[in-house]
Amino acid sequence: MAMVSPSMLSADFGNLQRDTEMLNASQCDWLHLDVMDGVFVPNLTFGFPMMEAVARHARKPLDVHLMIVQPEKFIERLSDVGAYVVSVHYEACPHLHRVLQTIRSKGMKAGVVLNPATPVSVLEDIIEDVDLVMLMSVNPGYGGQKFIPHTVEKVKKLRKLLNETGSRALIEIDGGVNRSTGRMLIEAGADVLVAGTAVFGAANPVEEIAHLKNL
Ligand code: DX5
Ligand code: ZN
């Protein structure tokens, strides 16, 4: 059964408590929080006050996706918020090993995110230090974009790398995930599906989450 992490970026920010409680009552596994800084990606989203508001109502683990430069600045505060997994971009971290160690030292799971143009092979020398690998299946910055089909091949390559190295890291996919792309991703070896538009744009988000879990 797939794990599902609905992206709060597509929630109604005027009704955050309502939407968080809706997700609490659903079969989703995590809540995905997209932090953007307008530097690493061409958009701004939200920071700590918003994540704290979600955390107050959430009864599911928080899956924080940092699309920011210098993510190391915020790791301690993310552990105070109660994040379960913190994922940083490979492209934003010249000292990736140190950042991952810091995340783990604060008791959180350490994730690495690869942009669509970044090959899976860059993970070869860091895979032991990673609890989760997230592959972007759109260019990060916005919800509602079209899925990049090549991601399916990347999932297969990543699954092979994890098998060869004995890594138990989870494979999470972010961007343009819906029932049809989700099915291809799960067949290719993905573990966790992020879905914003597919969940919050559905007539019945709770039912849509159930569909995504049972692909
Ligand atoms: C994009 C974000 C995604 C986004 C996914 O940069 O990282 O998490 O919210 O949204 P959908 O599912 O609409 O592509
Ligand atoms: Zn995301």
Side-chain angles (χ1 to χ4, degrees):
M1 189 172 270
M3 293 176 69
V4 175
S5 189
S7 170
M8 297 301 291
L9 191 54
S10 297
D12 178 352
F13 287 16
N15 286 290
L16 262 190
Q17 180 175 356
R18 182 200 67 191
D19 281 1
T20 305
E21 285 171 353
M22 178 274 287
L23 295 174
N24 286 341
S26 80
Q27 290 181 49
C28 80
D29 295 273
W30 298 343
L31 304 191
H32 186 84
L33 296 171
D34 288 302
V35 181
M36 303 188 192
D37 67 355
V39 179
F40 180 67
V41 288
N43 196 11
L44 294 169
T45 53
F46 49 75
F48 286 104
M50 168 93 170
M51 287 193 277
E52 283 156 3
V54 172
R56 272 200 296 281
H57 302 290
R59 285 192 278 105
K60 310 263 183 175
L62 302 180
D63 165 29
V64 178
H65 177 191
L66 297 178
M67 285 161 275
I68 64 175
V69 298
Q70 302 182 332
E72 60 277 4
K73 285 183 182 169
F74 302 107
I75 291 166
E76 176 130 26
R77 283 186 70 189
L78 284 166
S79 84
D80 295 341
V81 173
Y84 173 69
V85 49
V86 174
S87 297
V88 298
H89 271 259
Y90 169 84
E91 302 84 2
C93 296
H95 306 293
L96 181 61
H97 181 268
R98 181 186 292 149
V99 179
L100 297 172
Q101 296 293 329
T102 309
I103 295 171
R104 281 182 163 177
S105 76
K106 298 290 169 196
M108 300 178 288
K109 302 283 180 204
V112 177
V113 195
L114 303 184
N115 275 338
T118 305
V120 164
S121 57
V122 301
L123 296 170
E124 274 171 22
D125 293 299
I126 193 75
I127 200 69
E128 279 177 21
D129 301 281
V130 174
D131 299 304
L132 176 146
V133 178
M134 182 146 65
L135 300 179
M136 292 308 303
S137 38
V138 297
N139 286 291
Y142 305 91
Q145 302 183 80
K146 197 173 166 300
F147 180 79
I148 299 171
H150 178 67
T151 313
V152 177
E153 288 310 306
K154 283 180 83 173
V155 173
K156 291 180 188 163
K157 276 190 197 161
L158 177 56
R159 181 49 70 200
K160 189 162 173 273
L161 176 67
L162 299 183
N163 287 344
E164 282 168 6
T165 55
S167 165
R168 298 178 63 185
L170 293 172
I171 302 180
E172 181 168 14
I173 311 298
D174 188 7
V177 175
N178 54 34
R179 290 190 213 176
S180 76
T181 56
R183 187 170 299 117
M184 293 190 280
L185 293 163
I186 295 297
E187 276 168 14
D191 301 296
V192 189
L193 302 176
V194 176
T197 308
V199 166
F200 288 96
N204 186 333
V206 170
E207 249 174 50
E208 195 58 33
I209 290 166
H211 283 297
L212 292 170
K213 280 205 66 78
N214 290 295
L215 287 177

